[in-house]
Structures are given as structure tokens and as C-alpha cells.
Amino acid sequence: TYTTQPGQLNYIWTVPGVSGADYTITGGGIGTSSNTVTLQWLTPGNKTVTVNYTTGCAGLFAASNTTTVSITPNLAGLVIPSTGVSCAGSGTPITVNAGSLADGTYIVTYDLTGANSATGNTVSTAFTSGTGNFTTATLSTPGATTISIASISTITGCSTTASVTKTFTVNPLPAAIGGAGTVCPAST
């Protein structure tokens, strides 16, 4: 919401972009009698709204306010196509594809259920051409584990919820072999 001094006439608002394509007016207005306007931004970027008025004590300069509009992650087609080999005592490599996601660094929030359980895990992940790779938290228990992507957020906090899962197997570490600690030549 952008507001200037009430009680004036001939307000002159300047809003960047095209109404309906770059922004929508959800309250007030940009007419000559409105001292307030509420905008819903539809495109990302720096948006500078200015206002002045020409009656009464006219402003020498237009007042302005700049708002930075971040993108909301587009998760259309989100899938987890593969996981890497998983061994107890380490994390599992995860690949996430969201073909419509813009290149950049995002925060992936995920949960683990099954043999290994943890909720609200977050990892900063670089996505290029819609694909990001990360490694889960350390998994200590062998067995079937399911990863569920809960959301993907921009660094500035714009978030899109998700609901995609993939089950993988956490393999046990090789067991130690037993045997005699000391032997003599030609003995077993």
C-alpha cells in the first residue's frame, strides 16, 4: 500500500509497467482524487511508485517509494528423478528437477521418514536449468527411507509448497570379518 498526504487534489501517480500484466490495483486507486493505492505486483524486479499533486501546497518533487519484488519459485513438474548410493553413516545425494524453476540459489525444505526420520531439514541448493543437487543430512539406520520435499524458497523468503517424494534404501556398512589375530606360517 502506497499512501501520501490526504486532502489534496489532482494527485499524479506513476506506477511502472502495465496494469493487468505487471500489477493489479487491489485497493484505493491512481486517479486524481486518491491519496492511497494498494498494488499486487505480478512481475519481479525493483518497482518505484511516485506521486505528486498540483493543488494546495504542491510538492516540489514527486515522492517515491521503491519496492523489490522477488520471484515465487515455479515448481511446475517438480520431481525427484534419482538418488545416489546411500550408506549408513553418510548423507544421500538427491537430484531435484523443476523444469520451470529459474536459475538461482534456493532453500529446499525436506522431511525424512521410514528407517531414518527427521523433519524440517533445510539446504541451500543452486538450480541450473531447473535442476538442483544436494546431499541429505547423515542417515544412520539401514533400510527404506523416504524423502519428501516440503517447499522451495528464494533466498529472500518467497516460498512455494511442494509435495513430491522418493523412497530409497540406506545400505548397511560392511560388517567386520573375524579371524585369528596372530597366526604362524603354514597354520590356519
Side-chain angles (χ1 to χ4, degrees), residues 98-135:
S100 300
L101 190 62
D103 290 356
T105 300
Y106 296 87
I107 305 299
V108 177
T109 301
Y110 67 93
D111 300 323
L112 298 170
T113 56
N116 295 274
S117 180
T119 59
N121 294 291
T122 59
V123 61
S124 179
T125 306
F127 279 79
T128 304
S129 299
T131 300
N133 298 291
F134 65 91
T135 300

Side-chain angles (χ1 to χ4, degrees), residues 73-82 94-101 106-110 125 127 130-132 134 147-153 160-166:
N74 182 346
L75 302 183
L78 179 67
V79 295
I80 304 172
S82 65
I94 303 292
T95 298
V96 178
N97 286 346
S100 300
L101 190 62
Y106 296 87
I107 305 299
V108 177
T109 301
Y110 67 93
T125 306
F127 279 79
T131 300
F134 65 91
I147 184 169
S148 301
I149 305 293
S151 67
I152 296 181
S153 307
T160 302
T161 58
S163 181
V164 62
T165 63
K166 181 79 168 187

Side-chain angles (χ1 to χ4, degrees), residues 134-163:
F134 65 91
T135 300
T136 67
T138 299
L139 307 172
S140 58
T141 306
T145 299
T146 299
I147 184 169
S148 301
I149 305 293
S151 67
I152 296 181
S153 307
T154 63
I155 298 300
T156 58
C158 295
S159 182
T160 302
T161 58
S163 181

